Amino acid sequence: MVTFAKGHGTGNDFVILPDPDGTLPLTPRLVAALCDRRRGVGADGLIRLLAGSDGADCEMELTNADGGMAEISGNGLRCLAHVAANLGLGADDRLVVDTAAGRREMTIRRRSEDGEVDYAEADMGLVMFTPEMIPVLAESPFDLEATIDGVCYRGDAAGVGNPHFVVFVDDPDSVPLDRHGPVLEHDARFPNRTNVEMAVPTASGLRMRIWERGVGETASCGSGACAAAGVAHRRGLAPARMTVTVPGGELVVDLQPNGAGPAAATSMAVRLGGPVAHVFDVDIELERLADTVPLAGGVL
């Protein structure tokens, strides 16, 4: 029997497993089973909370709902922060987390009445516009075009430790994301596939819908909010600090220049903040669950 926590950040939900020694056998098939919304716990991804090293309080290992590994998730980081704080990790409401995209520093806020973590802010590193850092197979990441069913999408690629394709549309709700999202995710110019954001500027920032790589349409995407904000700010469509409205709620993105010179032209520093909630804890017999769901997406 293994105990998992279920949490969400603006509706982007994760199953979180404290496994300091990394001893539990989390195969792609098992992760897909856990994340299945009808035959498992149900989540957009699974986070294994590993012991930290070299100054980190912990390490995040992230797997998408299809069983494929992912580099980073902004909302996932914030959900992990809730569990880590409950385990007594970090100090002074600060947490240092290692991810596949690099080290990230976080701050948390607690409710005054019971000390429960209800808000977390993460240093998300850089929004990058250098093709090889995204990665995207193009001379320029800007003004990329893709035509699907006669609809031409034009947008910019950006990297936040994972790849994103940000497209500005008149109305995100009118985009047939269930049909066009998978095609854009597997665009051959993105060797690692890509997340997709359909966005429109608002008075306070952006409103958007998200198609997440290896998951499908989700209620929120923290790294996607950062990528879309970076693209919008670079194009003069939104301020440096903005509210990004997603179907699951609101996120706050704060952009800062990344030094001066060439680096400032190809990247910007970004922080992500928003609410986080603990949903429940659950005990699971992994050996009974592993064979209940066919492996999703052909992931090996």
Side-chain angles (χ1 to χ4, degrees):
M1 195 78 71
V2 179
T3 301
F4 292 79
K6 172 79 178 281
H8 80 87
T10 53
N12 197 189
D13 58 343
F14 298 87
V15 179
I16 302 131
L17 170 64
D19 184 21
D21 299 324
T23 56
L24 291 174
L26 293 181
T27 64
R29 184 181 298 278
L30 180 56
V31 172
L34 283 163
C35 292
D36 188 277
R37 295 192 181 278
R38 291 181 175 83
R39 292 171 286 189
V41 176
D44 292 327
L46 183 142
I47 296 169
R48 192 201 310 245
L49 195 162
L50 299 162
S53 61
D54 298 325
D57 297 305
C58 59
E59 179 181 345
M60 180 177 81
E61 179 187 274
L62 174 64
T63 309
N64 283 331
D66 68 350
M69 301 298 294
E71 303 90 345
I72 194 170
S73 163
N75 288 328
L77 264 174
R78 299 188 310 102
C79 290
L80 175 144
H82 186 288
V83 175
N86 286 346
L87 292 173
L89 300 177
D92 300 322
D93 287 341
R94 295 183 178 274
L95 190 71
V96 179
V97 184
D98 279 337
T99 76
R103 180 162 291 185
R104 299 292 185 259
E105 296 185 3
M106 307 188 65
T107 57
I108 60 173
R109 186 186 70 192
R110 300 174 185 267
R111 291 197 300 248
S112 58
E113 60 268 26
D114 58 8
E116 180 83 0
V117 175
D118 65 354
Y119 192 94
E121 183 177 293
D123 162 26
M124 290 294 290
L126 299 175
V127 181
M128 297 171 286
F129 301 111
T130 306
E132 58 268 23
M133 297 300 293
I134 296 173
V136 60
L137 303 179
E139 290 186 8
S140 168
F142 307 126
D143 295 314
L144 302 178
E145 292 187 358
T147 301
I148 308 170
D149 298 334
V151 179
C152 181
Y153 295 105
R154 179 182 291 108
D156 295 349
V160 192
N162 57 0
H164 295 265
F165 181 43
V166 180
V167 179
F168 289 101
V169 295
D170 292 333
D171 179 15
D173 293 334
S174 68
V175 176
L177 205 54
D178 58 333
R179 292 187 288 111
H180 293 180
V183 180
L184 294 170
E185 174 190 347
H186 291 87
D187 188 296
R189 290 169 291 187
F190 293 91
N192 298 333
R193 296 183 293 160
T194 189
N195 302 283
V196 181
E197 289 78 33
M198 297 289 172
V200 62
T202 66
S204 59
L206 297 174
R207 179 172 65 87
M208 70 178 196
R209 289 171 66 199
I210 311 102
W211 181 270
E212 284 203 55
R213 176 187 58 170
V215 184
E217 184 170 7
T218 57
S220 180
C221 177
S223 61
C226 294
V231 169
H233 183 59
R234 178 189 168 275
R235 288 188 170 272
L237 300 175
R241 182 176 175 85
M242 70 187 78
T243 298
V244 178
T245 301
V246 294
E250 292 184 345
L251 296 165
V252 177
V253 178
D254 192 358
L255 300 161
Q256 297 293 332
N258 180 30
T266 58
S267 62
M268 56 188 77
V270 59
R271 292 188 66 85
L272 171 75
V276 61
H278 174 256
V279 181
F280 56 73
D281 294 321
V282 59
D283 295 329
I284 300 175
E285 295 181 47
L286 295 181
E287 61 275 10
R288 296 187 59 182
L289 184 66
D291 295 326
T292 64
V293 181
L295 187 61
V299 178
L300 299 177

